[in-house]
Amino acid sequence: MTGAPRTGSAPAPGAAPTTRTNKIVKRTLVHQKWRRDRVARDRVYVRGRGEAGFQEFDDAHEQTLRESFVTNQRQQLWTSER
């Protein structure tokens, strides 16, 4: 993995929570924070800077992301419920 992973902006149909008018419910995504335990193990894909394709966001990606929160003294955001 090179650099910080970038998340894909277009979820698969039906993968993201939506309103009756088919708008994505952002507050739910904010709560999930790309934590695999909060997305019910749904598949999430990422693409590193300069990479052509996506790869599945796995335990190693999550660990790297969690460590970046600690490195930047923002670990309280990782563990908070909001």
Side-chain angles (χ1 to χ4, degrees), residues 7-79:
T7 58
S9 59
T18 57
T19 65
R20 291 184 312 188
T21 58
N22 210 28
K23 295 177 185 152
I24 294 176
V25 181
K26 295 176 190 165
R27 67 183 169 274
T28 302
L29 297 177
V30 168
H31 171 74
Q32 293 172 343
K33 300 177 185 165
W34 301 109
R35 286 180 45 177
R36 296 179 79 222
D37 62 328
R38 291 189 179 174
V39 295
R41 297 291 180 187
D42 288 343
R43 290 185 174 183
V44 176
Y45 294 90
V46 294
R47 180 177 60 187
R49 291 197 188 279
E51 294 179 359
F54 287 89
Q55 55 186 307
E56 190 168 350
F57 185 81
D58 59 15
D59 290 332
H61 289 106
E62 184 174 345
Q63 181 64 29
T64 301
L65 182 59
R66 186 180 308 122
E67 288 170 359
S68 73
F69 274 71
V70 172
T71 299
N72 293 292
Q73 299 177 352
R74 299 181 67 80
Q75 63 270 18
Q76 74 279 4
L77 299 175
W78 183 268
T79 58

